[in-house]
Amino acid sequence: MKGLMARKVGMTQVFDESGNLTPVTVIRVEPNTVIAMKTKEKHGYDAVVLGVDDMKPSKVTKPYKGQFPETISPKRHLKEFRDFGRDVAVGDVVGLELFDDTRFLDVTAISKGKGFQGVMKRWGFHGGPAGHGSKFHREPGGTGHSTTPGHLFKGTKLPGRMGNKRVTVQNLKIVQIDSNLKVILVRGAVPGNKDSMLIVKSAVKK
């Protein structure tokens, strides 16, 4: 499976040949350096370890630096990709050209954190009557655990922390690839804040 680490630039819109407007997310592909190779004989599976973003030497600890070859400066972000779709060697730099023959992508990132939220925002509950005197507006309502079976079932939709989770959006169509700017335009939205790190892979279901 072909995959890289990239950064979310933001959203914009483009027009196609027919004049139709398409909302797109701009993804900037960072230069991904091959840090290590894992083989089935030694590790039990085949994989490629990629790294992006050089670190300051003063910020690197000796144990962390030990996993990098001497010819490669330590990277801030590391990611392992199994069954990599291209023959590479340690020290190679992989970029946008990896997706030249790809039409759909799966994008994984940490979603935006919303903090502690109620059931209406977190789960889409409709709430109670808004009229004067109803005394029931945005509460979750009765959960029924005062009667049989006398306890709250695990997984019940209640208030709590919202967002800040690993989310994958599948089958995002590639609208345009700009080799000069090193960006990919995909149709629709991807998880994460602006400038957040993304894991971009060729689509599993397409």
Side-chain angles (χ1 to χ4, degrees):
M1 179 187 296
K2 294 179 291 187
L4 292 173
M5 282 182 285
R7 287 196 181 276
K8 179 179 178 180
V9 177
M11 291 198 70
T12 184
Q13 52 192 16
V14 295
F15 292 92
D16 59 14
E17 295 81 4
S18 303
N20 298 318
L21 185 68
T22 304
V24 296
T25 301
V26 183
I27 299 174
R28 185 176 70 250
V29 176
E30 307 282 341
N32 285 239
T33 305
V34 180
I35 304 300
M37 304 287 294
K38 296 195 174 182
T39 60
K40 200 164 189 177
E41 294 75 19
K42 187 175 181 180
H43 303 92
Y45 61 94
D46 295 320
V48 174
V49 180
L50 300 180
V52 296
D53 289 351
D54 291 338
M55 297 179 64
K56 291 182 178 180
S58 60
K59 299 289 186 181
V60 182
T61 61
K62 285 186 178 180
Y64 189 76
K65 187 178 181 180
Q67 61 185 320
F68 297 90
E70 292 184 0
T71 57
I72 300 175
S73 60
K75 308 295 182 183
R76 187 178 308 277
H77 302 283
L78 298 177
K79 175 64 181 173
E80 183 179 287
F81 293 92
R82 295 198 182 194
D83 302 321
F84 202 64
R86 182 167 294 188
D87 293 331
V88 292
V90 174
D92 290 352
V93 178
V94 187
L96 201 60
E97 69 281 354
L98 192 68
F99 299 119
D100 285 342
D101 56 348
T102 305
R103 294 184 59 223
F104 293 89
L105 298 175
D106 293 344
V107 179
T108 303
I110 302 298
S111 62
K112 292 181 181 180
K114 308 291 185 181
F116 192 98
Q117 298 297 333
V119 291
M120 290 184 68
K121 179 170 182 176
R122 192 182 186 200
W123 301 111
F125 282 21
H126 287 245
H132 176 69
S134 74
K135 299 184 179 179
F136 176 70
H137 299 294
R138 303 182 66 90
E139 288 82 358
T143 53
H145 60 279
S146 62
T147 57
T148 305
H151 64 86
L152 188 65
F153 285 108
K154 189 174 183 178
T156 302
K157 294 179 179 179
L158 290 172
R161 287 191 181 181
M162 182 180 176
N164 196 31
K165 292 183 178 180
R166 183 185 172 97
V167 178
T168 299
V169 179
Q170 294 182 318
N171 303 332
L172 293 169
K173 184 177 181 180
I174 295 178
V175 176
Q176 185 180 336
I177 295 179
D178 194 320
S179 301
N180 296 325
L181 298 177
K182 305 295 184 185
V183 297
I184 303 177
L185 305 184
V186 296
R187 184 173 63 190
V190 303
N193 293 300
K194 182 179 178 181
D195 205 37
S196 59
M197 186 60 65
L198 309 176
I199 299 171
V200 183
K201 297 180 180 180
S202 55
V204 176
K205 296 180 180 179
K206 290 285 188 179

